[in-house]
Amino acid sequence: KAGVTQTPRYLIKTRGQQVTLSCSPISGHRSVSWYQQTPGQGLQFLFEYFSETQRNKGNFPGRFSGRQFSNSRSEMNVSTLELGDSALYLCASSGGATYSYEQYFGPGTRLTVT
Amino acid sequence: AQTVTQSQPEMSVQEAETVTLSCTYDTSENNYYLFWYKQPPSRQMILVIRQEAYKQQNATENRFSVNFQKAAKSFSLKISDSQLGDTAMYFCAFMKSGNSGGSNYKLTFGKGTLLTVNP
């Protein structure tokens, strides 16, 4: 089975721009979660989607949004980028038959805001 | 809210030796899951081992085992016969279980322990 894929892998944007990141979950997984990883704050939960509905949201400003499509693929969008948004953005999928709660991560998208 | 604490920012071990990474957590929940994830220099987060809080038996996956002490809210990871490929950042993580909404399917991570395996 193919793992979680994320595109693009690297991205450089300018302050004030917006960005869209994509995540394709493991086949059959219906839950997709997003995390932000920075050296200062560590790993922080952004949001989680299941069947095209956002079920959980972390403590991030409204500039961070996401959505999930009917094929379970998910996108997250960050508008009006700030320097502090530079981070590794990780996507994880879950919903396996045995341990449905286990999250499997993609390789991440490295976003640099200049 | 749940918190996860990893008190050892860095550790090192000789190849073939055994090392134990510490993790404590704070929660008022009774039903939850605990995980150890490994993040090597490639940055790919890899699930190492899971533990369901309702199970008293400690989880084991090949060279990896945990010491789960629910009353003490402690969840340590033991790596036996350490290999050079075990060099990575290790994260302890907590997830509330159940269908009550809120933090379900949300992982709360510790700050991580950087483990270096020396030849």
Side-chain angles (χ1 to χ4, degrees):
Chain A
K1 232 180 216 187
V4 178
T5 58
Q6 292 186 246
T7 57
R9 294 292 310 278
Y10 302 91
L11 208 48
I12 299 175
K13 290 287 187 179
T14 304
R15 267 182 306 175
Q17 288 185 316
Q18 75 165 20
V19 66
T20 299
L21 312 182
S22 181
C23 171
S24 292
I26 292 171
S27 178
H29 285 191
R30 295 170 65 190
S31 169
V32 173
S33 300
W34 289 89
Y35 296 85
Q36 181 196 63
Q37 185 176 24
T38 60
Q41 298 299 316
L43 283 148
Q44 297 185 88
F45 172 79
L46 280 156
F47 28 65
E48 185 255 348
Y49 286 87
F50 180 84
S51 292
E52 302 178 65
T53 300
Q54 186 183 85
R55 291 197 301 189
N56 293 296
K57 190 177 191 303
N59 296 324
F60 278 82
R63 299 186 298 106
F64 291 82
S65 63
R67 60 178 176 168
Q68 187 180 35
F69 302 94
S70 58
N71 61 358
S72 294
R73 189 177 70 86
S74 177
E75 289 181 347
M76 67 163 281
N77 183 77
V78 188
S79 62
T80 319
L81 284 165
E82 300 177 359
L83 294 178
D85 297 333
S86 293
L88 180 68
Y89 289 88
L90 294 167
C91 160
S93 77
S94 57
T98 305
Y99 298 103
S100 63
Y101 55 86
E102 282 186 356
Q103 295 192 356
Y104 294 89
F105 285 80
T109 294
R110 169 74 65 185
L111 171 65
T112 302
V113 182
T114 62
Chain B
Q2 287 70 227
T3 59
V4 177
T5 302
Q6 294 179 249
S7 59
Q8 305 149 315
E10 293 188 41
M11 294 188 73
S12 63
V13 64
Q14 293 299 122
E15 202 175 1
E17 297 291 306
T18 296
V19 64
T20 298
L21 280 57
S22 302
C23 172
T24 58
Y25 58 94
D26 186 26
T27 184
S28 58
E29 302 292 333
N30 191 49
N31 299 315
Y32 50 87
Y33 308 112
L34 295 165
F35 306 87
W36 279 98
Y37 280 89
K38 163 186 174 181
Q39 189 177 41
S42 67
R43 309 301 287 176
Q44 175 86 47
M45 192 77 79
I46 300 164
L47 176 63
V48 174
I49 199 165
R50 83 188 72 77
Q51 175 78 43
E52 290 100 336
Y54 66 86
K55 289 187 177 178
Q56 292 186 337
Q57 186 173 7
N58 290 323
T60 299
E61 290 285 347
N62 301 313
R63 298 183 295 108
F64 299 88
S65 61
V66 299
N67 183 3
F68 173 49
Q69 302 290 328
K70 191 173 183 180
K73 295 181 182 175
S74 171
F75 183 61
S76 61
L77 174 70
K78 185 172 83 171
I79 305 174
S80 304
D81 186 26
S82 296
Q83 301 175 359
L84 296 178
D86 295 333
T87 292
M89 183 72 85
Y90 286 80
F91 293 96
C92 177
F94 173 101
M95 178 191 288
K96 176 182 171 182
S97 69
N99 295 318
S100 55
S103 59
N104 197 16
Y105 284 87
K106 168 190 171 183
L107 283 167
T108 299
F109 288 91
K111 293 293 188 184
T113 296
L114 178 61
L115 176 68
T116 302
V117 180
N118 299 306

